[in-house]
């Protein structure tokens, strides 16, 4: 009999609840939503469960404030924390969210010692470090969601500009989430054809800048919170790759130990994601400019990690 997977999603806010929605609609497993707010995870879980007979998914969805109910999870997605408001950078969030992610990870690691952690809370690269450090898990079992979202934004804008399907755009971004991401020109193609044959250099530069500012563009529009459809879809793509052992090649935040000549930070790199979590980190050749940008990005993340008191 096929195994029924257990997916815990911590934080039943916009990102967490929407992640639960994507996961249920894909029938990836049974879902436990956890939050500190009483009633919110229970209410959202019940509402989603009641969509099952309409949308025809068989996932059991429950909500709780008690980590005992998360015991034995295969994957835990951490979205707990404050979302960005206008005028706030991801780094403003750092100290508060570090405390939240620390307390969440302690509970999660205690009840699901074999789980793979997918970290979504921002600032992403630093929160991934907090989860890794506090859990004591090996580095392959702690992975941050950033690159898929940044690449998703990039691919959406490229598809629009080139007038082609999003399905046919391949792109790869490295580095930190958002402002310090490093798009790789050599890896941006439309069905293998260099993107420069479709989009002129000045337009491409505009698209890259818009992608860097992709998070803040949405914060400024929403005014009361930050993006959640694409971030949650990206996190669930990672969960799917892990639970189905797909061995997908995806840009994710991973703890680097010498790869790309960088050590001691979580940073966005292409990885092979499967049942073992991060099964491999892929090193692609970089131009000098890209290498310098990646080093700078690593330096920024490291400076933030150094500010933490865990
Ligand atoms: N334990 C569990 N849940 C918590 C905790 C905690 N210690 N602290 C806060 N939460 C919950 C809040 O109660 C809220 O329901 O986290 C949820 C966050 O939801 P939203 O405020 O809607 O934020 P969201 O848009 O989901 O973003 C969450 O993901 O993309 C990142 O930058 C974003 O860091 C933010 C996170």
């Amino acid at each position: 009999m096929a195994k029924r997977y257990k997916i815990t999603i911590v934080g039943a806010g916009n990102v967490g609840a929407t992640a639960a929605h994507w996961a249920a609609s894909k029938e990836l497993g049974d879902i436990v939503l956890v939050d500190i707010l009483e009633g919110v995870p229970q209410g959202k879980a019940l509402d989603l469960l009641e969509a099952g007979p309409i949308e025809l998914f068989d996932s059991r969805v429950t909500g709780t404030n008690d980590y005992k109910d998360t015991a034995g999870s295969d994957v835990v997605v951490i979205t707990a924390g404050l979302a960005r408001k206008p005028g706030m950078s991801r780094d403003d969030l750092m100290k508060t969210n570090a405390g939240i992610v620390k307390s969440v990870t302690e509970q999660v690691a205690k009840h699901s010692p074999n789980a793979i952690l997918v970290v979504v809370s921002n600032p992403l690269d630093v929160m991934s470090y907090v989860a890794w450090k506090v859990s004591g898990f090996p580095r392959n079992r702690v992975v941050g969601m950033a690159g898929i979202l940044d690449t998703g934004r990039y691919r959406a804008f490229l598809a629009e500009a080139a007038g082609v399907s999003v399905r046919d755009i391949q792109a790869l971004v490295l580095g930190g989430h958002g402002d310090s991401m490093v798009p790789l020109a050599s890896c941006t193609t439309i069905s293998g054809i260099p993107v420069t044959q479709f989009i002129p250099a000045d337009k491409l530069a505009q698209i890259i800048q818009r992608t860097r500012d992709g998070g803040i563009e949405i914060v400024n529009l929403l005014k009361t919170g930050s993006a959640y459809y694409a971030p949650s879809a990206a996190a669930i793509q990672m969960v799917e790759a892990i639970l189905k052992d797909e061995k997908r090649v995806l840009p994710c935040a991973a703890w680097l130990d010498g790869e790309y000549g960088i050590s001691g930070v979580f940073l966005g790199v292409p990885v092979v994601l499967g049942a073992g979590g991060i099964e491999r980190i892929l090193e692609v050749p970089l131009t000098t400019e890209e290498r310098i940008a990646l080093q700078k990005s690593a330096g920024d993340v490291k400076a933030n990690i150094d500010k933490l008191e865990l």
Side-chain angles (χ1 to χ4, degrees), residues 10-17 34-37 40 44 67 78-85 90 93 97 99-101 103-104 120-123 127 145 149 177 225-228 231:
V10 187
N14 281 335
V15 176
V34 195
D35 205 287
I36 36 162
L37 298 177
V40 171
K44 290 190 181 181
Y67 283 85
I78 299 178
T79 79
L82 304 187
R84 242 182 341 160
K85 305 261 158 49
R90 286 194 182 88
L93 285 181
N97 282 359
I100 293 173
V101 171
S103 72
V104 163
V120 181
S121 309
N122 270 317
M127 293 308 122
M145 188 293 295
L149 171 60
H177 183 28
S226 56
Y228 53 99

Side-chain angles (χ1 to χ4, degrees), residues 145-155 158 170-178 180-188 207-208 211-212 250-253 260 267-271 282 284 286 290 294 297:
M145 188 293 295
I148 301 174
L149 171 60
D150 289 331
T151 328
R153 288 177 172 150
Y154 190 34
R155 287 163 62 206
L158 290 172
Q170 296 80 37
L172 191 56
V173 304
L174 305 187
H177 183 28
S180 62
M181 69 163 209
V182 181
L184 296 191
S186 63
C187 299
T188 310
I207 289 176
I208 289 171
T211 306
R212 284 190 209 287
L250 297 168
C252 298
Y260 292 94
L267 206 61
V269 287
V271 307
L282 304 179
V284 294
L286 302 182
E290 289 164 349
L294 193 64
S297 193

